[in-house]
Amino acid sequence: AQSVAQPEDQVNVAEGNPLTVKCTYSVSGNPYLFWYVQYPNRGLQFLLKYITGDNLVKGSYGFEAEFNKSQTSFHLKKPSALVSDSALYFCAVRDPNTGGFKTIFGAGTRLFVKA
Amino acid sequence: DTGVSQNPRHKITKRGQNVTFRCDPISEHNRLYWYRQTLGQGPEFLTYFQNEAQLEKSRLLSDRFSAERPKGSFSTLEIQRTEQGDSAMYLCASSQDRVAGELFFGEGSRLTVL
């Protein structure tokens, strides 16, 4: 069965510093991986996805994520954090070989960017 | 741009009552999903549809829960004989018919069972 782990409940970073939000996954085959963001009182928004190809994928708002198959990780990164990046971030996985269209989400990591 | 719409946004009910939530997906999306999210947790998969066919249901979806998508357009999620443990945010999402397609979420329907 597919699963996602986000080991950090909260990540604190100063504005202008790089940020990393960690994600590891478990699937039986080649995964499709996603990051979503949830701002207060808003619905989840898609940030970026990895399907195949280049291990570094770029997404919205300057975010990027690196797929590492050997470590089964898909960490979210941004070179320079903004206060407005403060939100709840969810990693998600889909196993096209066994899970069809079902997407499984991690528990989320709250990012707090301090001015 | 018309996104995913959910109604009602908030519902407060007494234990034992029935509630129904409605989701209107993005019009060209033929896949529709229901998730449940409780405080401090990620969305938990409940069920999804391809057009009007319900293709998968989570074991979380007890027999008190039923979802429909008549004519492959809007969807309803009904909870019968609500319990306090049903209190949560119910999220609807839709996607294009591509296995790699991302989900587009509505803002959710918050249920509070007293």
Side-chain angles (χ1 to χ4, degrees), chain B residues 5 10 12 19 22 26 38 46 52 62 70 79 88 96:
Chain B
S5 177
H10 300 94
I12 300 173
V19 297
R22 174 177 171 130
I26 293 171
T38 54
L46 294 179
E52 66 276 7
S62 76
I79 309 173
Q96 296 177 328

Side-chain angles (χ1 to χ4, degrees), chain A residues 32 34 36 38 41-46 49 51 88 90 94-96 98-108, chain B residues 9 31 33 35 37 40-45 48 56 91 95-108:
Chain A
Y32 292 167
F34 304 81
Y36 291 82
Q38 188 174 34
N41 301 314
R42 301 287 301 277
L44 276 82
Q45 298 176 32
F46 168 75
K49 65 182 175 184
I51 305 301
L88 193 53
F90 293 98
R94 184 182 300 162
D95 183 347
T98 63
F101 280 67
K102 183 171 70 177
T103 303
I104 302 300
F105 287 80
Chain B
R9 294 290 312 282
R31 293 192 179 262
Y33 309 76
Y35 284 82
Q37 186 179 23
Q41 298 297 316
E44 296 174 296
F45 172 81
Y48 85 90
E56 187 167 351
L91 304 174
S95 74
Q96 296 177 328
D97 194 13
R98 295 182 292 117
V99 69
E102 62 269 24
L103 303 180
F104 292 78
F105 282 86
E107 296 192 348

Side-chain angles (χ1 to χ4, degrees), chain B residues 24-40:
Chain B
D24 288 89
I26 293 171
S27 58
E28 61 266 28
H29 288 179
N30 61 358
R31 293 192 179 262
L32 185 147
Y33 309 76
W34 285 99
Y35 284 82
R36 180 172 67 188
Q37 186 179 23
T38 54
L39 197 62

